[in-house]
Amino acid sequence: MGTCADVAGILADVAGILADPVGIFVDAVGILADAAGIVAVGILIDASVFVAVARGAAAPAGLVVGYEAEPVAVSVLTIMQLLQAAHRAATPHQRARRERFVDAVLARFPCVEFGPEEARAYARLSAELAARGEVVNPLDGLVAATALAHGYRLATVDAREFPRIPGLQVLHWGGRAERG
């Protein structure tokens, strides 16, 4: 299993080879996925984390500090969001870069599907929120339901929607965990 020192060293190597923060992030967190293997409990990474790294709003190495031993995964819904961004690209070059990024994410992270158990979790979640008079973005609710159905914590930079979801442990990478 990789250690913090391993991740930092590999990040330094990758940073020297790639001047691409998205690539560095995929490699850094992918190392965690490779080291941990595919297990049912760990951290589900929200699309907002990938977007923040791609825009340079988050330092890839800083995001994984303190979570080096955690298994990580992405939801198929996160993949869908990243692919939507690729298809909305302004130029063919930007679209190709974004598609390569999604391919790299798929190659390095276990992908959690959305099926009947996740649908049940979403139905419970949306009913509970409605009873409290609250509404969350439906896609965020589906991602949260996926995390809840599998016992994952959710890594995000979204401080609006996810912390309001009952029972979901939200990790603001670079910050502390909160319970919704």
Side-chain angles (χ1 to χ4, degrees):
M1 183 167 291
T3 66
C4 185
D6 295 334
V7 172
I10 292 169
L11 281 175
D13 292 343
V14 171
I17 297 167
L18 300 172
D20 179 3
V22 173
I24 294 167
F25 178 71
V26 167
D27 285 342
V29 182
I31 290 163
L32 303 180
D34 292 345
I38 300 172
V39 296
V41 179
I43 299 172
L44 193 68
I45 303 172
D46 178 48
S48 66
V49 173
F50 293 112
V51 171
V53 169
R55 291 182 177 164
L63 294 176
V64 300
V65 172
Y67 304 104
E68 294 83 5
E70 295 283 339
V72 293
V74 296
S75 166
V76 68
L77 300 161
T78 295
I79 297 301
M80 179 194 68
Q81 288 176 295
L82 296 174
L83 287 168
Q84 285 175 329
H87 289 283
R88 289 191 311 260
T91 67
H93 173 74
Q94 186 181 45
R95 180 178 178 168
R97 183 174 183 269
R98 288 178 181 180
E99 287 176 339
R100 282 192 309 273
F101 173 68
V102 175
D103 290 341
V105 170
L106 284 167
R108 298 301 298 266
F109 295 92
C111 186
V112 179
E113 301 294 330
F114 190 91
E117 288 308 309
E118 295 80 9
R120 289 177 196 279
Y122 180 73
R124 285 189 301 270
L125 169 65
S126 62
E128 186 172 337
L129 288 168
R132 293 185 346 204
E134 292 189 45
V135 176
V136 297
N137 173 297
L139 188 54
D140 288 342
L142 293 167
V143 171
T146 301
L148 289 167
H150 293 274
Y152 281 105
R153 292 178 289 159
L154 185 72
T156 187
V157 297
D158 182 352
R160 293 166 307 184
E161 299 285 337
F162 292 116
R164 297 185 298 123
I165 296 175
L168 181 65
Q169 188 177 9
V170 178
L171 300 173
H172 292 280
W173 276 19
R176 62 177 181 78
E178 292 183 15
R179 285 230 180 241

